[in-house]
Amino acid sequence: FNGGYLFLQDLYHQLGLHKICKEISHNYKFTFNLDSILSRLIYGRILFPSSKLNTFQESKNLLEQPDFELQHIYRALEVIAKETDFIQSELYKNSLSVSKRNKHILYYDCTNYFFEIEQEEGLKQYGFSKENKPNPIVEMGLFMDGDGIPLAFSIHSGNTNEQITLKPLEKKILKDFELSKFIVCTDAGLSSVENRKFNNKNERAFITTQSIKKLKKHLKEWALDSSGWQLPGIKGTYDIRSLDKDEKIYEKYKEHTFYKERWIKENELEQKLIVTYSLKYREYQRKIRNKQLERAVKLVESKPSSIGKKRQNDYKRFISSTNVTKDGEIANETIYSIDDDIIAKEEMYDGFYAVCTNLEDNAETITKINHRRWEIEECFRIMKSEFKARPVYLSRDDRIQAHFTTCFLALTLYRFLEKKLEEKFTSHTIITGLRDMNFYSIPTEGYIPTYTRTDFTDALHDAFGFRTDYQIVSKKQMKKIFKDTKK
């Protein structure tokens, strides 16, 4: 039997999810145990992510047996879908008693999930797949707080424009979560003028990444100009061309981030444009490009017939083709080569990064806030890889909504678990560690742990205040643990 779920169960009850289930059950008057079903769907998404049928079967391998049937899971999904907004808002309110939450900075991003079917219907629509899958997709918008903990989410059809998904979910947060003063941080793909103006009201603010390539000509020239750069806390300006003239100078400033800033007014919106330049970021971009160029050269030399279509960030973008000879005649075969002009144009932007904001804080503070956007991308990575949230096999829209509600709840529990462990372990260590915490049941004596004691299991037991790593855990001890994790 698996006992790793006990630590998730402790958090589940600390966050009051059992109380939320009780309130929903009272309103609907059904007879099945929603609390038991929802908790198993959440534990299952973390410990043994799979279909609802397999989750039901695997739940029998937990130390505490399920008290519901498979049919009850599907009936519960309908209820969970209807109550997803209520669940999210109540979970947030309950979480405030568990831990302080940085609700003054909110990060928003979108991703999509593909289905193992080809038929469009309801939420399942063809759109731009971020995983380049030729399948129908659904889109998820996710708000995360300043500490990396999920706050709220919404599901949209796969052909929905990402930019229009921010305002409806943010309005829901303003109303249901009773938040009013915060900074919304997004990437360039979500930073429409309308979204910026929406967060330029009352006590809200925005920080959004800005494509330098898409700036107006005079702003682009200013951003790429080598002169006028500053370092935080140091008077004077620098010319970034001088950084490559001497190895000692290069080494001295390799870890520094230079910046320049100015206020601009476009579309009746005043905002501060902050551009940063980093040698370290420049080298990272060049390293990535060189690897892509190696693949492009190899493809041209070995299998040019497979070049096909090129995507925006695909390594094939460096390959140009022509159907004429040097003399201008039509060639019998397409001639492929590496396009040096494309490489040179991209190199112009190496090391540069820009954001726009309506805040008056200094550049260092703004860039520091923006830097944590990687955590929302990690949230999506965990859901897709560790929790196997896709591909999705469900067909009905309400069950799709319920599926992602349980994924969201599982991610929230997991993030609180990370926080409780003081972020000392990787997601792989935590999740595999919980999955491996198994026991043999000895009917007359109790439970014998079969897992190996590690730094992770020690930290887990210390954080939650109970132990399961004795040579044998008596039935009486285990019953006490069951009770204590449900307080």
Side-chain angles (χ1 to χ4, degrees):
F1 297 94
N2 177 271
Y5 80 95
L6 291 168
F7 304 94
L8 301 173
Q9 183 164 274
D10 194 305
L11 280 171
Y12 177 92
H13 282 79
Q14 284 186 48
L15 291 168
L17 280 161
H18 62 301
K19 294 178 182 176
I20 295 172
C21 288
K22 186 177 181 180
E23 189 168 345
I24 293 171
S25 300
H26 176 74
N27 294 335
Y28 282 82
K29 310 294 184 185
F30 46 67
T31 56
F32 58 83
N33 190 338
L34 180 63
D35 175 29
S36 184
I37 294 170
L38 181 60
S39 61
R40 267 58 186 173
L41 288 173
I42 293 171
Y43 308 156
R45 186 51 50 189
I46 298 171
L47 298 173
F48 35 83
S50 55
S51 68
K52 302 299 176 280
L53 171 60
N54 198 55
T55 299
F56 173 68
Q57 298 294 342
E58 290 285 354
S59 291
K60 296 175 183 178
N61 293 326
L62 300 180
L63 287 168
E64 296 169 279
Q65 296 298 294
D67 58 356
F68 52 87
E69 299 296 329
L70 179 61
Q71 59 176 327
H72 298 143
I73 291 181
Y74 293 107
R75 288 175 62 192
L77 291 178
E78 297 171 27
V79 177
I80 292 167
K82 289 177 183 176
E83 298 296 331
T84 183
D85 290 345
F86 174 73
I87 292 169
Q88 290 177 64
S89 61
E90 288 301 298
L91 176 63
Y92 166 72
K93 292 169 187 173
N94 293 348
S95 71
L96 297 175
S97 62
V98 175
S99 172
K100 286 184 178 180
R101 298 194 65 168
N102 184 352
K103 56 193 177 184
H104 301 301
I105 301 170
L106 305 183
Y107 297 86
Y108 183 74
D109 204 353
C110 285
T111 192
N112 47 52
Y113 300 83
F114 67 92
F115 287 74
E116 284 292 4
I117 57 171
E118 295 184 4
Q119 183 65 43
E120 289 182 302
E121 184 184 5
L123 290 170
K124 307 181 294 296
Q125 296 291 327
Y126 283 103
F128 175 74
S129 172
K130 298 194 177 184
E131 296 169 88
N132 302 325
K133 295 286 185 180
N135 307 72
I137 57 176
V138 294
E139 188 172 84
M140 171 187 270
L142 178 68
F143 265 108
M144 178 190 84
D145 71 17
D147 293 322
I149 298 174
L151 182 72
F153 84 99
S154 58
I155 294 295
H156 309 278
S157 60
N159 56 4
T160 304
N161 183 341
E162 286 185 347
Q163 292 185 349
I164 66 172
T165 65
L166 184 146
K167 282 173 63 177
L169 187 55
E170 190 174 332
K171 285 178 179 178
K172 198 177 293 182
I173 289 172
L174 289 165
K175 179 185 174 185
D176 297 347
F177 291 52
E178 298 175 2
L179 298 180
S180 58
K181 184 178 180 180
F182 52 79
I183 303 163
V184 175
C185 198
T186 67
D187 68 7
L190 291 155
S191 59
S192 66
V193 173
E194 190 177 352
N195 285 343
R196 297 186 200 196
K197 286 182 176 179
F198 181 69
N199 283 307
N200 192 39
K201 298 174 183 176
N202 303 323
E203 295 184 286
R204 301 195 302 279
F206 66 85
I207 299 173
T208 183
T209 56
Q210 171 66 52
S211 169
I212 297 176
K213 294 178 185 178
K214 294 180 180 179
L215 287 172
K216 290 183 178 178
K217 185 180 177 182
H218 71 285
L219 291 174
K220 188 189 296 184
E221 289 174 352
W222 168 82
L224 298 177
D225 192 328
S226 65
S227 61
W229 293 87
Q230 297 175 266
L231 282 174
I234 300 175
K235 290 183 179 181
T237 59
Y238 298 80
D239 189 318
I240 56 176
R241 284 177 300 187
S242 64
L243 303 176
D244 289 314
K245 291 182 179 179
D246 186 288
E247 190 174 338
K248 288 183 178 178
I249 294 175
Y250 178 89
E251 288 297 324
K252 181 179 178 181
Y253 292 107
K254 187 169 67 173
E255 301 294 328
H256 289 70
T257 299
F258 296 83
Y259 76 92
K260 58 169 65 173
E261 60 185 4
R262 64 182 289 178
W263 283 90
I264 60 175
K265 186 172 182 179
E266 293 180 351
N267 300 303
E268 300 179 351
L269 177 66
E270 283 193 17
Q271 52 191 325
K272 182 159 61 174
L273 172 62
I274 300 171
V275 184
T276 61
Y277 179 79
S278 162
L279 290 168
K280 193 174 181 179
Y281 184 48
R282 184 189 72 178
E283 298 312 314
Y284 167 76
Q285 288 179 300
R286 289 182 177 176
K287 184 180 178 181
I288 297 297
R289 186 185 301 107
N290 288 336
K291 286 182 179 179
Q292 290 180 326
L293 279 168
E294 287 175 13
R295 293 178 67 191
V297 170
K298 188 176 179 181
L299 188 62
V300 169
E301 293 175 347
S302 62
K303 202 175 179 182
S305 60
S306 66
I307 289 172
K309 292 182 179 180
K310 307 170 189 176
R311 291 182 178 270
Q312 186 179 1
N313 296 314
D314 192 346
Y315 70 96
K316 294 177 186 177
R317 70 187 183 279
F318 298 119
I319 302 172
S320 62
S321 61
T322 180
N323 293 309
V324 295
T325 64
K326 292 180 180 178
D327 300 322
E329 298 177 357
I330 297 174
N332 293 327
E333 296 181 0
T334 302
I335 302 166
Y336 295 97
S337 61
I338 300 300
D339 193 325
D340 292 328
D341 288 340
I342 291 177
I343 298 170
K345 285 177 182 177
E346 285 198 12
E347 283 182 343
M348 285 172 53
Y349 301 95
D350 286 351
F352 294 94
Y353 189 87
V355 298
C356 278
T357 183
N358 58 344
L359 292 169
E360 296 186 5
D361 300 58
N362 60 49
E364 187 177 14
T365 301
I366 301 298
T367 52
K368 190 176 180 180
I369 293 171
N370 184 67
H371 180 68
R372 291 200 70 172
R373 274 198 320 102
W374 67 269
E375 290 184 87
I376 198 165
E377 292 169 3
E378 187 187 47
C379 283
F380 290 142
R381 181 194 63 76
I382 290 170
M383 276 200 284
K384 289 183 176 183
S385 57
E386 301 289 359
F387 295 176
K388 296 187 171 78
R390 63 25 168 170
V392 186
Y393 296 94
L394 299 164
S395 57
R396 285 172 42 175
D397 282 357
D398 58 349
R399 291 179 180 177
I400 292 168
Q401 178 73 48
H403 167 72
F404 285 108
T405 301
T406 58
C407 290
F408 168 81
L409 295 174
L411 181 64
T412 305
L413 247 70
Y414 169 76
R415 283 301 203 192
F416 272 107
L417 176 59
E418 264 189 339
K419 198 170 183 180
K420 206 168 179 70
L421 294 171
E422 299 176 350
E423 300 179 0
K424 291 178 180 177
F425 303 95
T426 65
S427 60
H428 180 73
T429 298
I430 293 172
I431 293 168
T432 55
L434 292 174
R435 289 171 182 170
D436 291 342
M437 295 187 78
N438 294 320
F439 298 80
Y440 280 129
S441 174
I442 311 298
T444 56
E445 298 182 41
Y447 303 87
I448 298 175
T450 64
Y451 62 90
T452 303
R453 182 178 173 180
T454 63
D455 289 342
F456 165 69
T457 61
D458 282 348
L460 200 59
H461 288 121
D462 290 343
F464 284 85
F466 64 86
R467 304 200 75 86
T468 63
D469 56 359
Y470 298 118
Q471 191 171 0
I472 185 167
V473 183
S474 69
K475 285 191 171 184
K476 185 178 179 181
Q477 286 174 310
M478 192 61 82
K479 282 183 179 179
K480 186 178 185 307
I481 291 171
F482 294 158
K483 185 179 178 181
D484 288 346
T485 57
K486 295 176 186 174
K487 286 182 177 178

